[in-house]
Amino acid sequence: MAVLWALWGIGVLNVAAAVVSSSVHLLLSRFTTFAAPAFLSIILIMAAIVTTFAGGFAGLLLVLLTDAGPVLIVSTGVLLAGATCVTAFALNQVRLSRRDSRVGKRLLSRDEVVDLIKAGLVHSFSRRNGVLEIQLKLRAAKEPALRHRRAHPRDYLAFVAAATEGGAGRRKIRYEDDTGEGPSSTERRWITVAEAAALLGADQVKTFGWGGLESPDNARATFRGTPTGIKLIDHGWARHIVAAPESGAALLPLARVARSAHGRPHIIVDGHWEQRA
């Protein structure tokens, strides 16, 4: 009997502690940005769930085996209600996760993707390693997990045609083909110092990077032309120049002049953003 009372008491104390801690957290969040470590929060939540279940069932046994007072009956009802809500929530999350997994694995048909592209609901798509991955915009998916979908790789060119239909208005949909068999919305090529200087002077460059490490995607990408030490990544609506230290020394002053005149490019030197003088 003592064990049942102990389990019931721990369950009640945990519920009370959860109410108090939630109230304090809400109060502090209005004035500070303090947050408990994620792992600690998970441990406390799991402990509270386990003790709430144990306390609820211990209280139920005490109600059946002893002369239960109103405090015992009410608190046991609260514990059992909380345990029921937690169980229902967990089961519903499992159901939703399985549904999202089932829907996410289904390949979208060509017509479905084309309609999404024409409706402006596709952010990007890419074909690599025998898979065509599609990233939808947030408003196109009821759940964030369903933003990443797949379609058959053979439909890639049809999607490119739909993305480029209408000219510049469709240019903001990014598409990449790592197989090299189809076009990509991003043009990557080597350029000369003269070409880079002309682009900078015409306010056609969004970022200029000199030295340091570039993004892994661009590091693995293939650039057309003869290597010159200066890379142009052209998305159509935004252009980026990445220059090696030996090739970019002459361009850095020009980039700073262009930034003073046009407000850009944003300059990255050795991996760090350069602030305006």
Side-chain angles (χ1 to χ4, degrees):
M1 194 68 68
V3 174
L4 295 178
W5 281 108
L7 291 175
W8 172 81
I10 292 172
V12 171
L13 289 176
N14 271 334
V15 170
V19 172
V20 172
S21 62
S22 298
S23 301
V24 172
H25 177 74
L26 290 174
L27 181 63
L28 292 178
S29 64
R30 297 171 63 93
F31 306 102
T32 68
T33 57
F34 170 78
F39 73 92
L40 180 59
S41 299
I42 293 174
I43 291 174
L44 292 176
I45 291 172
M46 291 178 64
I49 290 174
V50 171
T51 53
T52 300
F53 272 91
F57 287 113
L60 181 60
L61 290 175
L62 289 171
V63 170
L64 297 175
L65 298 175
T66 65
D67 295 329
V71 174
L72 177 61
I73 295 174
V74 172
S75 58
T76 299
V78 171
L79 291 175
L80 290 174
T84 302
C85 290
V86 169
T87 302
F89 176 78
L91 291 176
N92 187 56
Q93 289 300 111
V94 170
R95 181 186 65 83
L96 293 176
S97 177
R98 289 181 176 178
R99 182 205 64 183
D100 292 347
S101 177
R102 184 172 61 256
V103 173
K105 290 179 180 178
R106 182 181 68 85
L107 292 181
L108 294 175
S109 69
R110 177 187 298 184
D111 291 341
E112 285 179 299
V113 178
V114 169
D115 289 342
L116 288 168
I117 291 174
K118 292 182 177 179
L121 299 177
V122 174
H123 177 268
S124 62
F125 57 91
S126 61
R127 181 168 63 175
R128 58 173 59 93
N129 299 324
V131 176
L132 201 162
E133 299 178 346
I134 300 169
Q135 182 178 358
L136 302 177
K137 294 184 178 179
L138 185 59
R139 66 178 185 273
K142 295 181 180 179
E143 301 292 339
L146 297 179
R147 291 185 60 192
H148 301 279
R149 305 295 300 276
R150 290 185 174 186
H152 201 287
R154 66 168 176 254
D155 296 328
Y156 179 81
L157 294 179
F159 302 155
V160 170
T164 55
E165 182 181 353
R170 296 287 183 184
R171 189 61 170 168
K172 290 188 177 182
I173 296 178
R174 296 179 58 180
Y175 49 92
E176 304 288 342
D177 184 14
D178 286 356
T179 67
E181 298 174 1
S184 296
S185 63
T186 301
E187 181 184 13
R188 295 179 175 89
R189 61 186 177 91
W190 297 97
I191 60 175
T192 63
V193 172
E195 289 177 291
L199 290 171
L200 289 168
D203 188 23
Q204 295 295 311
V205 180
K206 185 176 182 179
T207 63
F208 173 81
W210 180 48
L213 297 176
E214 56 185 305
S215 69
D217 288 341
N218 289 331
R220 291 193 299 264
T222 301
F223 287 77
R224 295 189 298 105
T226 303
T228 61
I230 305 173
K231 297 176 179 179
L232 174 67
I233 300 104
D234 187 353
H235 295 297
W237 65 93
R239 296 179 177 88
H240 309 276
I241 289 177
V242 179
E246 61 276 10
S247 303
L251 291 174
L252 183 58
L254 298 179
R256 289 170 176 162
V257 170
R259 183 178 62 183
S260 298
H262 308 295
R264 63 177 193 176
H266 305 294
I267 299 175
I268 308 171
V269 178
D270 292 328
H272 301 284
W273 294 95
E274 181 181 89
Q275 302 297 321
R276 295 188 184 185

